[in-house]
Amino acid sequence: MSNEECVMKWIKEIFDDLNEVTIGAYSCLSCGKKVTDCTDDYVIVYFDDERDRVNYLFKEK
């Protein structure tokens, strides 16, 4: 499975209904995706090459 596929798999496992979120590219990080909900909260999901795993960052309040 490619790194991009790993990121998308993680997103699909965490978010029950992908119709309730918007997934956009986040090119600042490897295979980065910005997942935004209807309240404009978001999480950045990316592949951490150093740790060889999917990682995420939540919107700072």
Side-chain angles (χ1 to χ4, degrees), residues 1 7 14 23 33 37 39-40 43-45 49-50 52:
M1 183 180 307
V7 168
I14 298 301
I23 302 171
K33 302 290 181 194
D37 69 10
T39 65
D40 283 335
V43 61
I44 305 297
V45 185
D49 292 316
E50 189 174 303
D52 196 36

Side-chain angles (χ1 to χ4, degrees), residues 6-59:
C6 290
V7 168
M8 289 307 298
K9 181 177 183 273
W10 186 92
I11 292 170
K12 289 174 185 172
E13 288 174 354
I14 298 301
F15 295 94
D16 295 326
D17 187 356
L18 293 182
N19 293 320
E20 294 183 4
V21 296
T22 302
I23 302 171
Y26 192 81
S27 60
C28 296
L29 295 167
S30 177
C31 302
K33 302 290 181 194
K34 182 177 181 180
V35 184
T36 308
D37 69 10
C38 63
T39 65
D40 283 335
D41 282 338
Y42 63 84
V43 61
I44 305 297
V45 185
Y46 65 98
F47 196 85
D48 186 334
D49 292 316
E50 189 174 303
R51 292 187 174 99
D52 196 36
R53 67 175 188 182
V54 174
N55 207 356
Y56 53 91
L57 303 166
F58 287 102
K59 173 182 172 181

